[in-house]
Amino acid sequence: MKIHPIGGAGEVTGSCFLVETSGGRFVVDCGMFQGHDESEARNAHFPFSPGDIDAMFLTHAHLDHCGRLPLLHARGFRGWVYATPSTCDLAQFILLDSAKLQEEEFERRLRKGRRAGAPVSRPLYDTQDVVHLLRYFRTQPYETPLKLGSDIEVIFHQSGHILGSAGIEIRENGTSVLFSGDLGNPQRNVVPDPTPAPVCDLVFCESTYGDRLHRSEQESVNELRDAINWAHQAGGNVVIPSFALERTQDILFQLHELRRRGEVPQNPVYVDSPLAINITRVYEHHQEDLDDETRALLKAHDDPFSFPGLTTCSSSEQSRAVNGKDGVIIIAGSGMCNGGRVVHHLKHNLWRADTAVIFVGYQAVGTLGRRIVDGAPTVTIEHEPIAVNARTFTINGFSAHADQAALTGWLASSAPAHIVLNHGETNASAALAELLAAQGRSVEVANPHTVYDTAKLPTRV
Ligand code: ZN
């Protein structure tokens, strides 16, 4: 097998591998590049011919792993897209939302471009492209070998990152290569822990947090509890910017538990994100992919993602109706506040000294969320300066990724595989490589210009 890293080598976005075997050419993940000036140009280009690909295997439904699939299809790929049943359902919502955002952005640019007399590039894909692609999705359950021809076998393993997430093992004539996908943080509730890595010859392992250890989840839950209680005593609102997929369900689960234990008041909670509402339904529907504790709650008709006093806002009228309310908790996207309904909630609440803004996810440089976290005294929202008088809380422990200890723990059972570390910034991957090498493992950091050939793996002693 020959593996070409197309994206996600030496970086955390654009995950994609081209896999050449005697039985066909495959793609593992087809993610969007995000957050850099050159992302737009990289997203529009495939360094291979999409029409030559026989099948595609998708690890999970995050946009940096599935976001370019509609473009792959539009450029001529006509093979099946294999993914777990949960991932098939989640990817549908994520890709339709991505197409809608791109169409809206295109309309905005078109208006500006017309006024400036400048050309405007088309979106990567539109809703119709996604609809065409979705007919090619095929569900593939965990731990069930998928046979492709006489030589190729593909197995999806639980990776414990988000609902339906999988590591993917490709076997060809006695040689096996494992792609970790994104690996989960075993401390977390809601989804199961990752299945330990199987023995294999070569493993591509993510290394997002290869250089650090997470704080315990309990500490983060306590911080969430304290922030909510602070706002309650101050008489103000709580605004929680949150990603629609995984983090919102995680926060709802924790709120459910805190309220059940009587550790926070029963203030009204609003989930103001149509995407998050749809995704939460997928979580409730695919109980087989939840961890035992969460599934038991659902079986007992105690929905862990719902509770009395929870209101979901699908329409923009419902969203606007939240303005002017006091003593409420608002969960809205986007997670980094660079768009979405959370922006108008911040506009209405940031200036108030009795508001708590709780950040539960990473805030990238250049986003509104990052400016608030960094302590800007005022921010501009919809062309209006807004004073930041709210108290901000930053909770770092709700990560959906394995930390250094969890990554080395997961890899322990993969011996004697050669390890290639991908999906990480340089420092994170290098620190993990150093630790694994000290443990006697054969390891290197992924190089986007290297072709990894299983026939030429380093000799082991
Ligand atoms: Zn992910």
Side-chain angles (χ1 to χ4, degrees):
M1 260 182 278
K2 287 184 183 154
I3 298 102
H4 308 248
I6 308 298
E11 57 188 340
V12 291
T13 68
S15 278
C16 182
F17 293 97
L18 171 65
V19 183
E20 293 182 294
T21 72
S22 58
R25 287 159 70 88
F26 309 111
V27 167
V28 175
D29 284 345
C30 192
M32 203 176 267
F33 295 100
Q34 295 163 310
H36 294 285
D37 290 343
E38 67 274 22
S39 294
E40 198 173 327
R42 293 180 77 192
N43 279 330
H45 172 70
F46 290 108
F48 55 85
S49 171
D52 293 343
I53 304 300
D54 297 292
M56 192 279 161
F57 313 119
L58 178 59
T59 62
H60 66 290
H62 273 146
L63 208 59
D64 61 325
H65 292 257
C66 71
R68 291 208 295 158
L69 259 174
L71 186 67
L72 190 77
H73 185 77
R75 297 262 174 95
F77 167 61
R78 289 295 179 271
W80 300 129
V81 175
Y82 293 101
T84 64
S86 294
T87 297
C88 289
D89 286 352
L90 291 172
Q92 170 184 334
F93 288 115
I94 293 293
L95 293 174
L96 286 170
D97 183 68
S98 169
K100 186 169 136 262
L101 291 177
Q102 290 182 59
E103 287 163 3
E104 288 169 1
E105 175 66 16
F106 176 64
E107 290 298 324
R108 252 194 308 276
R109 285 198 205 180
L110 204 58
R111 283 196 296 274
K112 277 189 178 175
R114 278 204 194 106
R115 291 197 288 267
V120 175
S121 53
R122 300 270 322 154
L124 284 180
Y125 50 85
D126 59 21
T127 300
Q128 274 312 308
D129 292 321
V130 177
V131 170
H132 289 150
L133 164 75
L134 291 175
R135 291 180 305 174
Y136 288 79
F137 271 74
R138 287 293 176 272
T139 55
Q140 182 58 34
Y142 289 110
E143 304 301 335
T144 307
L146 165 70
K147 292 199 186 299
L148 298 173
S150 54
D151 296 334
I152 305 295
E153 202 172 67
V154 183
I155 304 173
F156 284 56
H157 302 286
Q158 175 63 253
S159 77
H161 169 60
I162 63 170
L163 188 82
S165 64
I168 291 171
E169 183 183 2
I170 303 180
R171 297 177 183 164
E172 180 193 32
N173 298 326
T175 301
S176 65
V177 177
L178 177 65
F179 300 88
S180 72
D182 286 357
L183 276 170
N185 176 359
Q187 291 189 44
R188 288 171 57 250
N189 303 101
V190 183
V191 292
D193 290 351
T195 303
V199 172
C200 55
D201 298 288
L202 174 63
V203 54
F204 290 87
C205 180
E206 72 120 316
S207 50
T208 317
Y209 292 114
D211 59 346
R212 70 194 80 169
L213 298 172
H214 295 319
R215 302 174 68 185
S216 79
E217 173 140 316
Q218 190 52 52
E219 280 178 79
S220 302
V221 173
N222 292 346
E223 287 171 4
L224 179 66
R225 175 199 65 198
D226 294 346
I228 290 169
N229 284 324
W230 177 86
H232 180 66
Q233 270 155 25
N237 293 332
V238 175
V239 181
I240 307 179
S242 180
F243 297 103
L245 172 52
E246 186 276 322
R247 197 57 44 91
T248 294
Q249 293 74 39
D250 212 8
I251 296 301
L252 286 175
F253 178 92
Q254 299 301 349
L255 285 177
H256 175 277
E257 288 295 290
L258 286 169
R259 289 163 80 100
R260 189 179 57 78
R261 295 198 297 264
E263 294 183 28
V264 294
Q266 310 276 320
N267 295 23
V269 176
Y270 293 87
V271 173
D272 188 9
S273 160
L275 181 60
I277 295 166
N278 284 327
I279 284 173
T280 304
R281 285 198 194 111
V282 178
Y283 269 67
E284 289 161 340
H285 178 68
H286 283 285
Q287 299 184 19
E288 73 281 7
D289 287 343
L290 298 172
D291 75 352
D292 294 343
E293 190 188 341
T294 312
R295 193 166 52 236
L297 284 170
L298 274 164
K299 279 225 167 74
H301 304 289
D302 184 11
D303 187 338
F305 309 114
S306 186
F307 38 78
L310 174 69
T311 305
T312 53
C313 305
S314 293
S315 69
S316 41
E317 290 74 34
Q318 289 170 314
S319 174
R320 277 194 294 275
V322 180
N323 296 338
K325 291 190 190 294
D326 281 324
V328 301
I329 297 172
I330 305 160
I331 304 169
S334 73
M336 297 192 204
C337 315
N338 48 342
R341 293 179 178 178
V342 77
V343 174
H344 82 244
H345 294 303
L346 289 172
K347 186 175 167 181
H348 288 277
N349 287 283
L350 261 183
W351 60 274
R352 292 173 52 161
D354 56 3
T355 296
V357 181
I358 308 177
F359 290 97
V360 290
Y362 178 69
Q363 305 298 311
V365 175
T367 59
L368 173 60
R370 181 59 170 264
R371 285 195 287 283
I372 298 168
V373 167
D374 284 347
T378 55
V379 292
T380 303
I381 298 180
E382 293 163 353
H383 311 292
E384 194 180 318
I386 306 288
V388 184
N389 297 323
R391 182 162 173 200
T392 58
F393 298 81
T394 305
I395 304 179
N396 291 320
F398 288 121
S399 178
H401 282 272
D403 66 3
Q404 189 184 65
L407 288 165
T408 54
W410 181 78
L411 280 163
S413 51
S414 73
H418 177 62
I419 301 163
V420 179
L421 298 174
N422 67 307
H423 199 291
E425 302 291 358
T426 314
N427 289 348
S429 305
L432 183 60
E434 200 177 316
L435 180 66
L436 290 164
Q439 293 174 354
R441 300 299 301 263
S442 167
V443 59
E444 66 185 289
V445 175
N447 181 331
H449 307 294
T450 298
V451 178
Y452 297 89
D453 187 342
T454 54
K456 296 177 186 164
L457 289 175
T459 321
R460 298 184 197 93
V461 285

